[in-house]
Amino acid sequence: MGKEKKIGVLPGDGIGPEVTTEAVKALDAIAEKYGHIFHYTYADVGAVAIDKTGDPLPDETLRVCQASDVFLFGAIGHPKYDNDPKAKVRPEQGLLKLRKALGLYANIRPVSAYEGLLHMSPLKEEQIKGVDIVVYRELTGGIYFGEKGRTADGAYDHCAYSNKEIDRIGKLAFEAAQHRKKNLTLVDKANVLETSRLWRERVQEMSKTFPDVKVEMMFVDNAAMQMIQNPKQFDVILTENMFGDILSDEASVIGGSMGLLPSASIGAHSAMFEPIHGSFPQAAGQNIANPMATILSAAMMLDHLEMIDEALDIRHAVKVAIHNGMVTSDLSKGRSFGTDRVGDFIANQILEGEQGQTFDNIHLGSSTII
Ligand code: IPM
Ligand code: MG
């Protein structure tokens, strides 16, 4: 039975509009195949929103997100703000406000190494083959949202966590581990930080209710090293906001390209899906950005909507694209394709399967269905 869903779409800045267009193509293909109806509502966020309204997150955009079942987010950021530490209004504020206003406390970032792309990673193939990690990053607390300010001769950023903030994401991470390899690594800096010691206490306490999950505690400096030396040891990583920000970027090199990594930001009433990569302004408008991270974010969105087969279809189509070399230049040392061609291929693959999309006719641009 087909379902009807309201999907917000916030393309944002830089390559955001191009990659979200391709993700919507994939969603449209899913809707057609399964008889679902997806209603899209578009809204501005980031530098484009500042240009139009002076606000990186206009009220109207927040309303669109609140009124949607789920929403897709492209990217935000513009170079004109990056080199100006004094800028009062910044695109990133739009994203941070969105996370806070909608209570998107759990940021879920899966990282795996795709067969066929192992050679793209700067790490050795034998080290990354089979890597399958998911980072659960706390997203609405810690140093990002603590009191910050200037003093007469300095500045400060306050880091605080409550039991509740730790417990609610901890629960999601433990549950994820139960469905995976049953390993959970808490990453912290408990040898120095009081908040980290609280994280350890709460996680130790919580582990009593998840006896089947093996828990390990690791300091963040060591974890940063282990992530490169032996990433296969990790299954679920649970960590606070800033450590998660840094570690998930580090983990992204395992897959060979940031252009492949999706993410979900989940709250009690809203859920947002976005690629991990930024707005990549140098590539904007050139049809060279890799749309796969956003397309895979759409797959996470479908999982969240309990459309499991649909999500699998998207992931499979992306694998077929990679297998056939139907990829953008970040994933190919030889022939590569434009953002839109890769998106078309994936949408067609969802709808038509392997039929008609053989390696030869794709590369000649003469496929019967492209
Ligand atoms: C991320 C980004 C953001 C963050 C920035 C854009 C504020 O780096 O989503 O990882 O630091 O959380
Ligand atoms: Mg980041």
Side-chain angles (χ1 to χ4, degrees):
M1 254 273 284
K3 295 182 186 165
E4 205 166 336
K5 296 288 172 196
K6 284 190 246 156
I7 302 179
V9 184
L10 278 50
D13 304 323
I15 58 172
E18 292 162 74
V19 293
T20 44
T21 298
E22 303 313 316
V24 168
K25 262 185 209 167
L27 287 169
D28 282 341
I30 291 291
E32 190 176 331
K33 179 167 171 187
Y34 288 87
H36 300 314
I37 298 174
F38 295 149
H39 302 282
Y40 305 104
T41 309
Y42 286 79
D44 290 321
V45 70
V48 286
I50 299 176
D51 290 345
K52 285 191 197 164
T53 68
D55 184 348
L57 181 67
D59 291 345
E60 174 54 22
T61 301
L62 200 53
R63 267 197 295 278
V64 166
C65 296
Q66 279 159 339
S68 305
D69 294 303
V70 288
F71 65 99
L72 194 64
F73 187 99
I76 48 155
H78 192 282
K80 72 180 169 199
Y81 301 95
D82 290 345
N83 300 323
D84 178 7
K86 290 229 160 78
K88 284 262 173 314
V89 182
R90 320 179 64 85
E92 291 78 9
Q93 290 162 344
L95 181 57
L96 296 175
K97 193 171 148 200
L98 198 57
R99 290 172 179 169
K100 196 69 176 174
L102 298 174
L104 306 174
Y105 63 85
N107 186 219
I108 304 165
R109 298 184 163 184
V111 175
S112 53
Y114 281 83
E115 278 304 314
L117 288 181
L118 300 177
H119 64 286
M120 297 300 298
S121 171
L123 304 184
K124 292 202 190 79
E125 287 194 30
E126 68 266 21
Q127 248 157 324
I128 57 171
K129 196 164 188 259
V131 165
D132 182 11
I133 303 172
V134 58
V135 178
Y136 274 70
R137 166 189 174 195
E138 201 291 327
L139 203 58
T140 52
I143 197 167
Y144 271 60
F145 291 97
E147 196 186 321
K148 48 187 95 252
R150 295 285 176 117
T151 56
D153 58 354
Y156 58 93
D157 294 280
H158 190 140
C159 180
Y161 268 108
S162 67
N163 292 348
K164 184 183 151 209
E165 285 174 321
I166 298 168
D167 293 355
R168 60 188 181 181
I169 185 166
K171 181 167 179 285
L172 294 185
F174 270 103
E175 285 168 356
Q178 280 185 319
H179 292 109
R180 294 170 49 95
K181 288 185 227 128
K182 300 187 167 47
N183 286 318
L184 183 144
T185 309
L186 172 68
V187 174
D188 63 25
K189 189 73 186 169
N191 49 348
V192 178
L193 303 177
E194 198 54 42
T195 43
S196 286
R197 290 192 272 269
L198 181 67
W199 274 82
R200 283 204 176 195
E201 259 171 56
R202 301 306 301 176
V203 167
Q204 261 153 6
E205 187 58 35
M206 215 178 297
S207 72
K208 292 180 192 153
T209 36
F210 297 92
D212 51 334
V213 176
K214 188 169 154 276
V215 177
E216 194 179 347
M217 316 263 174
M218 199 180 275
F219 297 143
V220 63
D221 45 355
N222 183 25
M225 183 178 73
Q226 299 285 336
M227 184 68 79
I228 303 298
Q229 250 172 7
N230 179 18
K232 269 183 252 185
Q233 70 185 289
F234 296 113
D235 177 22
V236 175
I237 292 179
L238 169 63
T239 191
E240 63 92 63
N241 203 343
M242 189 152 80
F243 297 158
D245 178 46
I246 298 166
L247 278 184
S248 57
D249 265 29
E250 189 192 4
S252 74
V253 303
I254 292 170
S257 170
M258 262 214 159
L260 281 174
L261 296 186
S263 76
S265 301
I266 311 279
H269 308 289
S270 296
M272 158 168 116
F273 300 84
E274 79 179 292
I276 277 207
H277 60 69
S279 59
F280 195 12
Q282 305 85 331
Q286 293 181 44
N287 198 30
I288 57 171
N290 187 347
M292 287 176 174
T294 318
I295 293 172
L296 292 167
S297 301
M300 290 185 85
M301 172 186 280
L302 295 174
D303 273 336
H304 185 78
L305 293 170
E306 292 176 1
M307 298 180 177
I308 309 298
D309 289 339
E310 292 87 330
L312 282 173
D313 271 6
I314 292 193
R315 292 192 181 103
H316 178 69
V318 169
K319 278 194 189 134
V320 174
I322 292 173
H323 182 74
N324 281 294
M326 181 43 87
V327 294
T328 43
S329 58
D330 54 313
L331 292 184
S332 168
K333 296 200 167 113
R335 180 112 194 251
S336 63
F337 295 85
T339 309
D340 54 356
R341 282 292 301 283
V342 173
D344 286 343
F345 178 90
I346 291 169
N348 281 318
Q349 174 66 32
I350 291 166
L351 276 174
E352 321 261 345
E354 262 74 5
Q355 235 179 357
Q357 302 214 83
T358 66
F359 185 82
D360 286 340
N361 60 22
I362 292 158
H363 282 250
L364 290 168
S366 60
S367 161
T368 48
I369 52 173
I370 290 184

